[in-house]
Amino acid sequence: MTVVMPTLNEARNLPHVLPLLPPVDELVVVDGGSDDDTLAVARMLRPDAVLVRQNRRGKGNALACGFAAATGDIIVMIDADGSTDPREIPRFVAELTEGADFAKGSRFVAGGGSSDITRLRRLGNQFLNVLVNGLFRTRYSDLCYGYNAFWAYCLPVFELDSTSPAPAGGARLWGDGFEIETLLNVRAARARLRLVEVPSHEHARIHGASNLNAVTDGLRVLRTIFREVRRPRTAPEAAYLAGHRDHAAEHGQ
């Protein structure tokens, strides 16, 4: 199992978060150009951690770079600010080992909750949930939550770019920002991955301010949804669907 943790100026948060990690085979810490001691603190607390510097900007790009560096059969994506509890990781892994392809954290199922979400973000998330569930025939309860785990064989379905250089002028490629959670969830649905929602409690960030902007990032999520619904089926999606059909036929499903 590999835990992928994007970071940006999280030196004060890592001493609270890293000690809570359960035993994992690999920890990949991805840094987005921190100007504090994030990497030094990560190295001090976890000398075995794989340290990666992302090649562009944004959480999505950080995750793409972390996924590319991961070597585990299971990949868990978790935040470094204390909002996602590392002690919940066994819940996600249990769902995967019991047959799910993708275990998606949810704050809005029984056993979940949030100490951080604002009224505006909650309303926006509810609207986006309804939209995605209608367009992609899903039953998501929490589209924009970033605590997820999946089998590494799902990575080709997500088609994330971890190698292209940053565009001129400081722009971001599509999927490089906070829309990454929606992108993963929608592409998982398009490929008909076996999805399970896992109750999760979102805590308030321990130190520092979030880089999330409810309005601008919400609009990027909305554009992501409409881009994906018009996107032709890709070769990795078709390959996974064919494999899934073969597996179902073999087992009489």
Side-chain angles (χ1 to χ4, degrees), residues 8-10 13 81-83 116 203-211:
L8 179 61
N9 297 326
E10 303 290 1
N13 290 323
D81 59 7
S83 60
D116 183 62
H203 300 273
R205 166 184 274 273
I206 300 171
H207 295 291
S210 172
N211 294 309

Side-chain angles (χ1 to χ4, degrees), residues 39-116:
L39 291 179
V41 171
R43 177 63 74 201
M44 178 186 67
L45 294 170
R46 290 294 300 252
D48 61 330
V50 178
L51 305 183
V52 175
R53 293 185 184 272
Q54 65 184 96
N55 65 326
R56 297 191 298 273
R57 296 171 52 245
K59 182 179 181 181
N61 174 244
L63 287 170
C65 292
F67 296 163
T71 62
D73 294 323
I74 289 175
I75 298 175
V76 182
M77 44 191 281
I78 191 169
D79 292 337
D81 59 7
S83 60
T84 50
D85 190 341
R87 292 169 294 189
E88 295 179 357
I89 288 176
R91 297 183 191 174
F92 291 82
V93 174
E95 294 292 352
L96 296 178
T97 56
E98 290 174 11
D101 295 316
F102 190 94
K104 183 191 173 338
S106 174
R107 298 162 289 184
F108 306 123
V109 294
S114 177
S115 304
D116 183 62

